[in-house]
Structure formats: structure tokens, C-alpha cells
Amino acid sequence: MTNCPNLKELFGDRYRVKVEESHHAERGTEIKRNVDPWLLIIPCQNGHICPWDEDLLAACTSHRRFVVRDLVAVGCTVVQDGDDGVNATFPVEAFDEVAEIMKPWKRRRISDEQRQAAVERLRRYREKAGTYEKAIQETPERPISTLADV
């Protein structure tokens, strides 16, 4: 098996990278950390981007509107033409141009201010939870009564 571009390593810091649906059919339902790079995709508004060859990626469109025309204008080669879209190959170096057309979903990021606000909010919750746990520990245990004791 040949090596392919690892989407997680190349673009995982900017865009969401998912495991293709067929991963569970090939590998089972158990999620593993070392996923085969051939089964990684970048979901997009207009389809998805996936590995095609050692140095090529494929843009698989979910419809045939302007997307196909724009992909061909970038220099992509249309490999497969279907009723619901096309598969177009392009070199890894052209990813940014293709990404403008395909519109991949970006990774969620939080700012340092948002992170600090979340830490403070959770700290107050943890303090409340700690007092509740402390109250439970300080409560003396009562012996379990049975019907015979009554």
C-alpha cells in the first residue's frame, strides 16, 4: 500500500478532520487512535476532501453547480462525473485554492479570555461540589434498621 497525505497532520490544526463512514465497516466500531490516513476526510460545505494518491487529494462535490466550474478553473482534473457531483483531483500544494471553493468546516477554537472565563465558571462549580461532598463526609452514618428492630 502506498503512502498518502495525512490530512490530520497537514490541515488538522485549521480544519475538522473526520474518519470516513467506511472506517467502521473495515475496522469495527471501536475507535482507535491510529486511524488509517486513507480513511480521513475533511468535511466541507460543498462535499469533502480526501486523499487520492501519494501526492494528490480529491475534492468530492455533493452537487454540480458552480463548484465544478471553479475546480476546473483552479487546475483540478475531473476524474469521475456523476449525477450528484464530481470527484476532482488536485495536488496538495493547491489545497488553499480548492478550500476557498469547497469551504471546509473549520476547527472550533476558543480564545484565552474564553478559556479563562470557563475555568473560573467551573472553579465556582467545583467549590460548591466540594462543600456538598464535605457535608456528606461529616454526616455520621446511621445503622441500617431492619423490620426486626421495630
Side-chain angles (χ1 to χ4, degrees):
M1 182 181 290
T2 60
N3 293 331
C4 72
N6 191 331
L7 298 178
K8 189 88 166 167
E9 292 175 2
L10 295 172
F11 311 111
D13 59 335
R14 293 184 287 168
Y15 301 108
R16 294 183 194 176
V17 178
K18 287 179 45 179
V19 178
E20 190 179 33
E21 297 169 359
S22 65
H23 169 75
H24 299 299
E26 288 190 20
R27 309 282 185 207
T29 57
E30 185 178 322
I31 297 173
K32 297 180 180 156
R33 294 222 178 254
N34 53 354
V35 176
D36 187 6
W38 285 104
L39 298 175
L40 295 176
I41 63 169
I42 299 176
C44 305
Q45 184 176 345
N46 295 319
H48 66 271
I49 297 173
C50 61
W52 186 265
D53 198 357
E54 287 183 8
D55 55 350
L56 292 177
L57 297 175
C60 305
T61 65
S62 55
H63 46 77
R64 293 186 50 104
R65 289 181 256 163
F66 64 91
V67 178
V68 178
R69 177 193 66 214
D70 293 345
L71 287 174
V72 171
V74 168
C76 297
T77 305
V78 175
V79 175
Q80 192 174 25
D81 191 6
D83 291 339
D84 60 345
V86 299
N87 295 340
T89 60
F90 61 95
V92 176
E93 295 79 27
F95 179 83
D96 292 330
E97 296 175 58
V98 174
E100 287 181 24
I101 299 166
M102 295 295 290
K103 298 181 177 146
W105 303 114
K106 294 186 178 177
R107 277 188 71 185
R108 293 183 182 154
R109 300 275 181 183
I110 61 172
S111 65
D112 291 335
E113 294 83 22
Q114 291 171 325
R115 185 182 312 276
Q116 189 62 32
V119 166
E120 291 301 321
R121 187 176 63 247
L122 293 173
R123 180 176 297 146
R124 288 194 305 260
Y125 170 76
R126 242 183 282 134
E127 288 170 0
K128 286 181 185 177
T131 57
Y132 177 72
E133 290 171 358
K134 186 177 177 184
I136 290 175
Q137 290 173 355
E138 291 175 357
T139 305
E141 285 193 38
R142 289 183 258 159
I144 301 174
S145 62
T146 61
L147 290 176
D149 295 339
V150 179

